[in-house]
Amino acid sequence: METRKVASSIPVTEIPYVMRAMGFYPSEQEIEDMLNEIKFSDYVETGKYKTSVDMGEFIQLYINHRPAFGLQPDKLAWAFETLGVTMDGLPFLDRSELLHLLQNRGEHMTEYQLAEYLTTLLGFNAEGGSSELQDFDTEKAGQLIDENLPYEITADMFANELLGFGMYSSDVLQVEGESQSPPSAQVN
């Protein structure tokens, strides 16, 4: 058996995937900022772009760009309470409203991108982005989303089933009473 060789650096193109594997889900703009920060870090001295980072540089990049407290379950529950409809004491978003909000609020994404991301989250595409690894059929994607994404989406379903955050229990994501502002971040 051959000895496995392990690299001590990470190619710049792999940084977004490693960040996501560590639980940090940067926006496309944040990814572009991080990649530019690395690519141009030595440009003045060398006149060349950087194509990889060592472990120390990666850790520094991660610490400097990740949110200090991450996504708090109570903030996700508050968002569903604020944006959604409450039935039987449980806030939910209608599927069409969720898709509209995802596409038109926050970071802009096209209908094609939204379909690609959702089908990947639902487990129908290879991780890392379907367009990079296989052909992407938008008609099939629409049908898969229609068949597999419920009409009513609760904060619990969104966090645990769609995003895969199994650490958020249903009782943490349930909202008690009406609140008018997001809960403050708490360090546990």
Side-chain angles (χ1 to χ4, degrees):
M1 179 181 276
E2 291 183 44
T3 304
R4 182 176 177 200
K5 294 179 183 178
V6 179
S8 60
S9 64
I10 300 170
V12 170
T13 56
E14 296 299 312
I15 289 174
Y17 303 115
V18 178
M19 291 285 186
R20 290 179 188 120
M22 295 176 64
F24 171 39
Y25 301 92
S27 68
E28 292 299 318
Q29 182 63 51
E30 290 170 323
I31 289 169
E32 187 177 328
D33 292 344
M34 285 188 286
L35 296 181
N36 285 334
E37 181 179 325
I38 293 298
K39 284 181 192 177
F40 296 105
S41 62
D42 292 340
Y43 189 78
V44 173
E45 293 88 23
T46 65
K48 296 179 182 177
Y49 299 112
K50 256 183 126 161
T51 58
S52 65
V53 294
D54 64 25
M55 191 55 72
E57 291 170 310
F58 177 77
I59 291 170
Q60 182 179 2
L61 186 72
Y62 175 75
I63 289 172
N64 288 340
H65 288 275
R66 71 169 168 78
F69 300 109
L71 178 62
Q72 300 294 318
D74 52 346
K75 286 187 179 184
L76 183 61
W78 174 83
F80 269 76
E81 176 188 329
T82 303
L83 298 171
V85 176
T86 301
M87 185 180 293
D88 298 327
L90 194 60
F92 70 89
L93 281 169
D94 177 80
R95 176 175 62 194
S96 61
E97 181 66 15
L98 176 64
L99 296 177
H100 173 77
L101 290 169
L102 288 172
Q103 190 173 359
N104 296 299
R105 300 290 178 140
E107 187 170 337
H108 175 74
M109 68 176 88
T110 65
E111 192 172 325
Y112 177 91
Q113 290 170 319
L114 180 60
E116 182 180 4
Y117 299 154
L118 282 174
T119 53
T120 300
L121 286 169
L122 290 168
F124 295 104
N125 298 325
E127 291 184 31
S130 64
S131 62
E132 296 173 6
L133 303 174
Q134 62 192 17
D135 290 333
F136 184 71
D137 181 357
T138 54
E139 209 170 291
K140 183 179 175 188
Q143 182 180 358
L144 289 170
I145 291 168
D146 192 45
E147 292 172 358
N148 294 283
L149 192 63
Y151 288 106
E152 296 175 351
I153 301 163
T154 64
D156 178 55
M157 185 272 170
F158 185 76
N160 294 317
E161 295 177 34
L162 191 61
L163 297 178
F165 295 162
M167 65 202 162
Y168 293 171
S169 63
S170 298
D171 58 327
V172 173
L173 290 170
Q174 290 181 7
V175 179
E176 296 181 23
E178 300 286 325
S179 63
Q180 296 300 317
S181 60
S184 61
Q186 299 174 1
V187 178
N188 293 331

